[in-house]
mmCIF file of all heavy atoms in Angstrom:
data_model
loop_
_atom_site.group_PDB
_atom_site.id
_atom_site.type_symbol
_atom_site.label_atom_id
_atom_site.label_comp_id
_atom_site.label_asym_id
_atom_site.label_seq_id
_atom_site.Cartn_x
_atom_site.Cartn_y
_atom_site.Cartn_z
ATOM 1 N N ALA A 27 123.620 141.682 58.520
ATOM 2 C CA ALA A 27 122.759 141.894 59.684
ATOM 3 C C ALA A 27 121.670 140.833 59.742
ATOM 4 O O ALA A 27 121.336 140.320 60.824
ATOM 5 C CB ALA A 27 122.128 143.287 59.621
ATOM 6 N N LEU A 28 121.113 140.496 58.585
ATOM 7 C CA LEU A 28 120.074 139.474 58.527
ATOM 8 C C LEU A 28 120.592 138.149 59.094
ATOM 9 O O LEU A 28 119.926 137.502 59.919
ATOM 10 C CB LEU A 28 119.614 139.279 57.080
ATOM 11 C CG LEU A 28 118.585 138.178 56.848
ATOM 12 C CD1 LEU A 28 117.233 138.577 57.418
ATOM 13 C CD2 LEU A 28 118.477 137.862 55.350
ATOM 14 N N VAL A 29 121.782 137.764 58.672
ATOM 15 C CA VAL A 29 122.365 136.499 59.150
ATOM 16 C C VAL A 29 122.674 136.573 60.638
ATOM 17 O O VAL A 29 122.403 135.626 61.398
ATOM 18 C CB VAL A 29 123.627 136.162 58.332
ATOM 19 C CG1 VAL A 29 124.358 134.967 58.940
ATOM 20 C CG2 VAL A 29 123.252 135.874 56.882
ATOM 21 N N ALA A 30 123.236 137.703 61.077
ATOM 22 C CA ALA A 30 123.557 137.852 62.499
ATOM 23 C C ALA A 30 122.304 137.763 63.361
ATOM 24 O O ALA A 30 122.296 137.089 64.405
ATOM 25 C CB ALA A 30 124.263 139.189 62.732
ATOM 26 N N ASP A 31 121.239 138.415 62.914
ATOM 27 C CA ASP A 31 119.989 138.370 63.678
ATOM 28 C C ASP A 31 119.413 136.959 63.707
ATOM 29 O O ASP A 31 118.948 136.480 64.755
ATOM 30 C CB ASP A 31 118.966 139.329 63.065
ATOM 31 C CG ASP A 31 119.279 140.784 63.375
ATOM 32 O OD1 ASP A 31 119.995 141.044 64.346
ATOM 33 O OD2 ASP A 31 118.797 141.659 62.627
ATOM 34 N N ALA A 32 119.433 136.289 62.565
ATOM 35 C CA ALA A 32 118.892 134.931 62.505
ATOM 36 C C ALA A 32 119.668 133.988 63.417
ATOM 37 O O ALA A 32 119.088 133.153 64.118
ATOM 38 C CB ALA A 32 118.904 134.423 61.064
ATOM 39 N N ARG A 33 120.993 134.108 63.420
ATOM 40 C CA ARG A 33 121.812 133.259 64.291
ATOM 41 C C ARG A 33 121.511 133.536 65.764
ATOM 42 O O ARG A 33 121.403 132.602 66.574
ATOM 43 C CB ARG A 33 123.293 133.496 64.006
ATOM 44 C CG ARG A 33 123.761 132.929 62.662
ATOM 45 C CD ARG A 33 125.208 133.310 62.384
ATOM 46 N NE ARG A 33 125.669 132.765 61.116
ATOM 47 C CZ ARG A 33 126.828 133.089 60.544
ATOM 48 N NH1 ARG A 33 127.636 133.958 61.136
ATOM 49 N NH2 ARG A 33 127.176 132.548 59.385
ATOM 50 N N ASP A 34 121.376 134.821 66.104
ATOM 51 C CA ASP A 34 121.087 135.180 67.496
ATOM 52 C C ASP A 34 119.743 134.607 67.952
ATOM 53 O O ASP A 34 119.632 134.034 69.043
ATOM 54 C CB ASP A 34 121.077 136.696 67.658
ATOM 55 C CG ASP A 34 122.471 137.307 67.589
ATOM 56 O OD1 ASP A 34 123.456 136.545 67.661
ATOM 57 O OD2 ASP A 34 122.559 138.549 67.459
ATOM 58 N N ILE A 35 118.732 134.765 67.104
ATOM 59 C CA ILE A 35 117.397 134.291 67.469
ATOM 60 C C ILE A 35 117.373 132.770 67.551
ATOM 61 O O ILE A 35 116.788 132.185 68.466
ATOM 62 C CB ILE A 35 116.348 134.807 66.460
ATOM 63 C CG1 ILE A 35 116.287 136.334 66.488
ATOM 64 C CG2 ILE A 35 114.968 134.230 66.772
ATOM 65 C CD1 ILE A 35 115.497 136.941 65.330
ATOM 66 N N ALA A 36 118.040 132.117 66.609
ATOM 67 C CA ALA A 36 118.069 130.650 66.609
ATOM 68 C C ALA A 36 118.780 130.107 67.847
ATOM 69 O O ALA A 36 118.383 129.082 68.410
ATOM 70 C CB ALA A 36 118.745 130.145 65.342
ATOM 71 N N ALA A 37 119.848 130.807 68.246
ATOM 72 C CA ALA A 37 120.579 130.358 69.431
ATOM 73 C C ALA A 37 119.757 130.531 70.707
ATOM 74 O O ALA A 37 119.780 129.678 71.602
ATOM 75 C CB ALA A 37 121.893 131.128 69.554
ATOM 76 N N ALA A 38 119.025 131.644 70.773
ATOM 77 C CA ALA A 38 118.239 131.930 71.976
ATOM 78 C C ALA A 38 116.929 131.154 72.013
ATOM 79 O O ALA A 38 116.448 130.782 73.089
ATOM 80 C CB ALA A 38 117.969 133.433 72.068
ATOM 81 N N HIS A 39 116.344 130.917 70.828
ATOM 82 C CA HIS A 39 115.034 130.268 70.748
ATOM 83 C C HIS A 39 115.034 129.215 69.636
ATOM 84 O O HIS A 39 114.404 129.410 68.597
ATOM 85 C CB HIS A 39 113.941 131.308 70.484
ATOM 86 C CG HIS A 39 113.892 132.420 71.490
ATOM 87 N ND1 HIS A 39 113.384 132.244 72.756
ATOM 88 C CD2 HIS A 39 114.319 133.701 71.401
ATOM 89 C CE1 HIS A 39 113.478 133.392 73.417
ATOM 90 N NE2 HIS A 39 114.036 134.294 72.625
ATOM 91 N N PRO A 40 115.755 128.120 69.821
ATOM 92 C CA PRO A 40 115.849 127.113 68.748
ATOM 93 C C PRO A 40 114.494 126.541 68.350
ATOM 94 O O PRO A 40 114.335 126.113 67.197
ATOM 95 C CB PRO A 40 116.757 126.036 69.360
ATOM 96 C CG PRO A 40 116.731 126.286 70.833
ATOM 97 C CD PRO A 40 116.535 127.740 71.011
ATOM 98 N N GLU A 41 113.526 126.565 69.242
ATOM 99 C CA GLU A 41 112.196 126.057 68.893
ATOM 100 C C GLU A 41 111.521 126.913 67.833
ATOM 101 O O GLU A 41 110.623 126.453 67.120
ATOM 102 C CB GLU A 41 111.320 125.978 70.158
ATOM 103 C CG GLU A 41 110.806 127.303 70.705
ATOM 104 C CD GLU A 41 111.862 128.093 71.496
ATOM 105 O OE1 GLU A 41 112.996 127.568 71.655
ATOM 106 O OE2 GLU A 41 111.543 129.201 71.946
ATOM 107 N N GLN A 42 111.975 128.168 67.677
ATOM 108 C CA GLN A 42 111.422 129.055 66.653
ATOM 109 C C GLN A 42 112.168 128.939 65.323
ATOM 110 O O GLN A 42 111.769 129.558 64.343
ATOM 111 C CB GLN A 42 111.468 130.510 67.130
ATOM 112 C CG GLN A 42 110.635 130.806 68.359
ATOM 113 C CD GLN A 42 110.771 132.255 68.808
ATOM 114 O OE1 GLN A 42 111.252 133.106 68.070
ATOM 115 N NE2 GLN A 42 110.324 132.531 70.025
ATOM 116 N N ALA A 43 113.246 128.177 65.330
ATOM 117 C CA ALA A 43 114.124 128.123 64.160
ATOM 118 C C ALA A 43 114.283 126.704 63.621
ATOM 119 O O ALA A 43 115.299 126.383 63.010
ATOM 120 C CB ALA A 43 115.489 128.698 64.516
ATOM 121 N N ARG A 44 113.274 125.867 63.823
ATOM 122 C CA ARG A 44 113.413 124.467 63.403
ATOM 123 C C ARG A 44 113.669 124.333 61.898
ATOM 124 O O ARG A 44 114.510 123.546 61.468
ATOM 125 C CB ARG A 44 112.156 123.685 63.805
ATOM 126 C CG ARG A 44 111.973 123.528 65.311
ATOM 127 C CD ARG A 44 110.841 122.562 65.628
ATOM 128 N NE ARG A 44 110.630 122.441 67.082
ATOM 129 C CZ ARG A 44 109.737 123.153 67.750
ATOM 130 N NH1 ARG A 44 108.971 124.026 67.112
ATOM 131 N NH2 ARG A 44 109.603 122.994 69.061
ATOM 132 N N ILE A 45 112.922 125.077 61.118
ATOM 133 C CA ILE A 45 113.095 124.995 59.658
ATOM 134 C C ILE A 45 114.475 125.501 59.272
ATOM 135 O O ILE A 45 115.194 124.882 58.477
ATOM 136 C CB ILE A 45 111.995 125.794 58.939
ATOM 137 C CG1 ILE A 45 110.618 125.206 59.243
ATOM 138 C CG2 ILE A 45 112.242 125.813 57.424
ATOM 139 C CD1 ILE A 45 109.454 126.036 58.714
ATOM 140 N N LEU A 46 114.859 126.634 59.841
ATOM 141 C CA LEU A 46 116.163 127.218 59.532
ATOM 142 C C LEU A 46 117.294 126.277 59.912
ATOM 143 O O LEU A 46 118.226 126.057 59.121
ATOM 144 C CB LEU A 46 116.315 128.553 60.265
ATOM 145 C CG LEU A 46 117.656 129.265 60.121
ATOM 146 C CD1 LEU A 46 117.965 129.552 58.661
ATOM 147 C CD2 LEU A 46 117.675 130.539 60.948
ATOM 148 N N ILE A 47 117.233 125.712 61.084
ATOM 149 C CA ILE A 47 118.294 124.810 61.541
ATOM 150 C C ILE A 47 118.380 123.579 60.644
ATOM 151 O O ILE A 47 119.477 123.118 60.300
ATOM 152 C CB ILE A 47 118.058 124.417 63.013
ATOM 153 C CG1 ILE A 47 118.246 125.646 63.925
ATOM 154 C CG2 ILE A 47 118.978 123.282 63.436
ATOM 155 C CD1 ILE A 47 117.769 125.455 65.332
ATOM 156 N N ARG A 48 117.230 123.063 60.236
ATOM 157 C CA ARG A 48 117.233 121.903 59.333
ATOM 158 C C ARG A 48 117.852 122.260 57.984
ATOM 159 O O ARG A 48 118.675 121.496 57.444
ATOM 160 C CB ARG A 48 115.806 121.396 59.141
ATOM 161 C CG ARG A 48 115.671 120.281 58.095
ATOM 162 C CD ARG A 48 114.279 119.705 58.056
ATOM 163 N NE ARG A 48 113.252 120.715 57.864
ATOM 164 C CZ ARG A 48 112.941 121.249 56.666
ATOM 165 N NH1 ARG A 48 113.607 120.881 55.583
ATOM 166 N NH2 ARG A 48 111.972 122.141 56.570
ATOM 167 N N LEU A 49 117.491 123.408 57.430
ATOM 168 C CA LEU A 49 118.023 123.811 56.121
ATOM 169 C C LEU A 49 119.508 124.145 56.192
ATOM 170 O O LEU A 49 120.262 123.854 55.262
ATOM 171 C CB LEU A 49 117.255 125.028 55.590
ATOM 172 C CG LEU A 49 115.815 124.809 55.148
ATOM 173 C CD1 LEU A 49 115.155 126.140 54.789
ATOM 174 C CD2 LEU A 49 115.756 123.873 53.938
ATOM 175 N N ALA A 50 119.918 124.775 57.287
ATOM 176 C CA ALA A 50 121.297 125.250 57.387
ATOM 177 C C ALA A 50 122.280 124.116 57.633
ATOM 178 O O ALA A 50 123.445 124.201 57.221
ATOM 179 C CB ALA A 50 121.405 126.277 58.502
ATOM 180 N N GLY A 51 121.851 123.075 58.316
ATOM 181 C CA GLY A 51 122.738 121.949 58.573
ATOM 182 C C GLY A 51 123.973 122.312 59.366
ATOM 183 O O GLY A 51 125.054 121.779 59.112
ATOM 184 N N GLY A 52 123.839 123.254 60.288
ATOM 185 C CA GLY A 52 124.960 123.591 61.158
ATOM 186 C C GLY A 52 125.528 124.980 60.961
ATOM 187 O O GLY A 52 126.139 125.533 61.875
ATOM 188 N N ARG A 53 125.375 125.586 59.760
ATOM 189 C CA ARG A 53 125.925 126.933 59.517
ATOM 190 C C ARG A 53 124.867 127.777 58.825
ATOM 191 O O ARG A 53 124.506 127.527 57.677
ATOM 192 C CB ARG A 53 127.167 126.863 58.649
ATOM 193 C CG ARG A 53 127.699 128.254 58.308
ATOM 194 C CD ARG A 53 128.971 128.539 59.033
ATOM 195 N NE ARG A 53 129.490 129.859 58.720
ATOM 196 C CZ ARG A 53 129.886 130.721 59.635
ATOM 197 N NH1 ARG A 53 129.761 130.413 60.909
ATOM 198 N NH2 ARG A 53 130.395 131.885 59.306
ATOM 199 N N ILE A 54 124.360 128.770 59.524
ATOM 200 C CA ILE A 54 123.297 129.622 58.996
ATOM 201 C C ILE A 54 123.884 130.715 58.121
ATOM 202 O O ILE A 54 124.765 131.469 58.548
ATOM 203 C CB ILE A 54 122.480 130.249 60.154
ATOM 204 C CG1 ILE A 54 121.758 129.158 60.940
ATOM 205 C CG2 ILE A 54 121.508 131.298 59.629
ATOM 206 C CD1 ILE A 54 121.094 129.653 62.208
ATOM 207 N N GLU A 55 123.412 130.798 56.882
ATOM 208 C CA GLU A 55 123.814 131.850 55.940
ATOM 209 C C GLU A 55 122.559 132.477 55.335
ATOM 210 O O GLU A 55 121.442 132.017 55.570
ATOM 211 C CB GLU A 55 124.726 131.292 54.853
ATOM 212 C CG GLU A 55 126.026 130.680 55.358
ATOM 213 C CD GLU A 55 126.979 131.699 55.979
ATOM 214 O OE1 GLU A 55 126.723 132.913 55.852
ATOM 215 O OE2 GLU A 55 127.971 131.273 56.594
ATOM 216 N N GLY A 56 122.761 133.525 54.541
ATOM 217 C CA GLY A 56 121.636 134.295 54.020
ATOM 218 C C GLY A 56 120.667 133.494 53.174
ATOM 219 O O GLY A 56 119.440 133.680 53.257
ATOM 220 N N GLU A 57 121.183 132.618 52.341
ATOM 221 C CA GLU A 57 120.323 131.828 51.463
ATOM 222 C C GLU A 57 119.370 130.954 52.276
ATOM 223 O O GLU A 57 118.178 130.831 51.961
ATOM 224 C CB GLU A 57 121.178 130.961 50.535
ATOM 225 C CG GLU A 57 120.389 130.196 49.497
ATOM 226 C CD GLU A 57 121.280 129.433 48.537
ATOM 227 O OE1 GLU A 57 122.480 129.770 48.430
ATOM 228 O OE2 GLU A 57 120.775 128.500 47.893
ATOM 229 N N GLU A 58 119.894 130.350 53.344
ATOM 230 C CA GLU A 58 119.053 129.492 54.191
ATOM 231 C C GLU A 58 118.009 130.314 54.954
ATOM 232 O O GLU A 58 116.875 129.872 55.138
ATOM 233 C CB GLU A 58 119.918 128.710 55.181
ATOM 234 C CG GLU A 58 120.747 127.597 54.554
ATOM 235 C CD GLU A 58 122.003 128.116 53.885
ATOM 236 O OE1 GLU A 58 122.420 129.257 54.185
ATOM 237 O OE2 GLU A 58 122.557 127.388 53.037
ATOM 238 N N VAL A 59 118.401 131.518 55.398
ATOM 239 C CA VAL A 59 117.452 132.378 56.111
ATOM 240 C C VAL A 59 116.300 132.766 55.198
ATOM 241 O O VAL A 59 115.122 132.727 55.596
ATOM 242 C CB VAL A 59 118.148 133.641 56.657
ATOM 243 C CG1 VAL A 59 117.133 134.550 57.367
ATOM 244 C CG2 VAL A 59 119.272 133.273 57.624
ATOM 245 N N THR A 60 116.611 133.106 53.960
ATOM 246 C CA THR A 60 115.570 133.488 53.002
ATOM 247 C C THR A 60 114.631 132.320 52.715
ATOM 248 O O THR A 60 113.399 132.475 52.749
ATOM 249 C CB THR A 60 116.207 133.979 51.693
ATOM 250 O OG1 THR A 60 117.022 135.123 51.971
ATOM 251 C CG2 THR A 60 115.140 134.363 50.678
ATOM 252 N N GLU A 61 115.202 131.147 52.450
ATOM 253 C CA GLU A 61 114.369 129.984 52.146
ATOM 254 C C GLU A 61 113.528 129.589 53.357
ATOM 255 O O GLU A 61 112.337 129.253 53.222
ATOM 256 C CB GLU A 61 115.245 128.810 51.709
ATOM 257 C CG GLU A 61 114.476 127.534 51.380
ATOM 258 C CD GLU A 61 113.403 127.725 50.317
ATOM 259 O OE1 GLU A 61 113.595 128.564 49.409
ATOM 260 O OE2 GLU A 61 112.357 127.044 50.409
ATOM 261 N N ALA A 62 114.124 129.631 54.542
ATOM 262 C CA ALA A 62 113.374 129.277 55.748
ATOM 263 C C ALA A 62 112.233 130.264 55.990
ATOM 264 O O ALA A 62 111.126 129.870 56.383
ATOM 265 C CB ALA A 62 114.316 129.254 56.959
ATOM 266 N N ALA A 63 112.489 131.544 55.751
ATOM 267 C CA ALA A 63 111.433 132.540 55.923
ATOM 268 C C ALA A 63 110.277 132.278 54.978
ATOM 269 O O ALA A 63 109.099 132.397 55.358
ATOM 270 C CB ALA A 63 112.000 133.942 55.690
ATOM 271 N N ARG A 64 110.590 131.880 53.754
ATOM 272 C CA ARG A 64 109.532 131.586 52.783
ATOM 273 C C ARG A 64 108.738 130.342 53.177
ATOM 274 O O ARG A 64 107.602 130.169 52.744
ATOM 275 C CB ARG A 64 110.131 131.435 51.388
ATOM 276 C CG ARG A 64 110.678 132.749 50.837
ATOM 277 C CD ARG A 64 110.672 132.773 49.320
ATOM 278 N NE ARG A 64 110.836 134.124 48.842
ATOM 279 C CZ ARG A 64 111.964 134.621 48.308
ATOM 280 N NH1 ARG A 64 113.021 133.841 48.191
ATOM 281 N NH2 ARG A 64 112.017 135.872 47.902
ATOM 282 N N GLN A 65 109.340 129.489 54.007
ATOM 283 C CA GLN A 65 108.638 128.304 54.510
ATOM 284 C C GLN A 65 107.964 128.559 55.852
ATOM 285 O O GLN A 65 107.446 127.640 56.475
ATOM 286 C CB GLN A 65 109.612 127.138 54.612
ATOM 287 C CG GLN A 65 110.140 126.643 53.272
ATOM 288 C CD GLN A 65 111.001 125.401 53.410
ATOM 289 O OE1 GLN A 65 110.799 124.583 54.314
ATOM 290 N NE2 GLN A 65 111.958 125.228 52.498
ATOM 291 N N GLY A 66 107.995 129.820 56.311
ATOM 292 C CA GLY A 66 107.289 130.180 57.526
ATOM 293 C C GLY A 66 108.077 130.064 58.814
ATOM 294 O O GLY A 66 107.498 130.119 59.901
ATOM 295 N N ASP A 67 109.398 129.931 58.733
ATOM 296 C CA ASP A 67 110.223 129.810 59.928
ATOM 297 C C ASP A 67 110.143 131.090 60.765
ATOM 298 O O ASP A 67 110.411 132.189 60.273
ATOM 299 C CB ASP A 67 111.676 129.557 59.514
ATOM 300 C CG ASP A 67 112.601 129.351 60.689
ATOM 301 O OD1 ASP A 67 112.579 128.260 61.268
ATOM 302 O OD2 ASP A 67 113.335 130.307 61.019
ATOM 303 N N GLU A 68 109.791 130.962 62.030
ATOM 304 C CA GLU A 68 109.565 132.134 62.884
ATOM 305 C C GLU A 68 110.836 132.957 63.087
ATOM 306 O O GLU A 68 110.798 134.197 63.033
ATOM 307 C CB GLU A 68 109.024 131.696 64.245
ATOM 308 C CG GLU A 68 107.629 131.124 64.223
ATOM 309 C CD GLU A 68 107.180 130.734 65.625
ATOM 310 O OE1 GLU A 68 107.170 131.627 66.506
ATOM 311 O OE2 GLU A 68 106.869 129.547 65.838
ATOM 312 N N ALA A 69 111.937 132.302 63.336
ATOM 313 C CA ALA A 69 113.182 133.023 63.578
ATOM 314 C C ALA A 69 113.620 133.802 62.343
ATOM 315 O O ALA A 69 114.066 134.958 62.441
ATOM 316 C CB ALA A 69 114.276 132.048 63.998
ATOM 317 N N SER A 70 113.506 133.191 61.181
ATOM 318 C CA SER A 70 113.911 133.850 59.943
ATOM 319 C C SER A 70 113.013 135.042 59.621
ATOM 320 O O SER A 70 113.489 136.107 59.201
ATOM 321 C CB SER A 70 113.891 132.845 58.790
ATOM 322 O OG SER A 70 114.773 131.775 59.054
ATOM 323 N N LEU A 71 111.717 134.877 59.826
ATOM 324 C CA LEU A 71 110.797 135.981 59.604
ATOM 325 C C LEU A 71 111.078 137.123 60.579
ATOM 326 O O LEU A 71 111.002 138.304 60.213
ATOM 327 C CB LEU A 71 109.359 135.503 59.743
ATOM 328 C CG LEU A 71 108.855 134.591 58.617
ATOM 329 C CD1 LEU A 71 107.522 133.956 58.996
ATOM 330 C CD2 LEU A 71 108.718 135.381 57.310
ATOM 331 N N ALA A 72 111.414 136.781 61.807
ATOM 332 C CA ALA A 72 111.742 137.811 62.794
ATOM 333 C C ALA A 72 113.023 138.553 62.403
ATOM 334 O O ALA A 72 113.136 139.775 62.601
ATOM 335 C CB ALA A 72 111.895 137.189 64.173
ATOM 336 N N ALA A 73 113.999 137.829 61.837
ATOM 337 C CA ALA A 73 115.237 138.476 61.392
ATOM 338 C C ALA A 73 114.961 139.450 60.254
ATOM 339 O O ALA A 73 115.491 140.571 60.230
ATOM 340 C CB ALA A 73 116.249 137.411 60.957
#
């Protein structure tokens, strides 16, 4: 669910997911969502 939510938010609001998109390099998974959230990524924190 965490990954699904992060992907949905990133797709709808990529400006909120800059850190996540950079870390994921094209495929968002749980590890990237966690690391991005710890770096303050808005989309990941929202997920």
Side-chain angles (χ1 to χ4, degrees):
L28 176 71
V29 172
D31 285 338
R33 289 175 179 171
D34 287 347
I35 297 168
H39 304 285
E41 74 282 357
Q42 297 178 15
R44 293 189 182 95
I45 297 173
L46 177 59
I47 292 168
R48 174 173 54 80
L49 290 174
R53 176 109 180 131
I54 296 172
E55 300 293 350
E57 185 176 340
E58 288 80 18
V59 178
T60 299
E61 179 56 33
R64 292 206 164 105
Q65 294 185 30
D67 183 77
E68 292 181 58
S70 300
L71 289 169

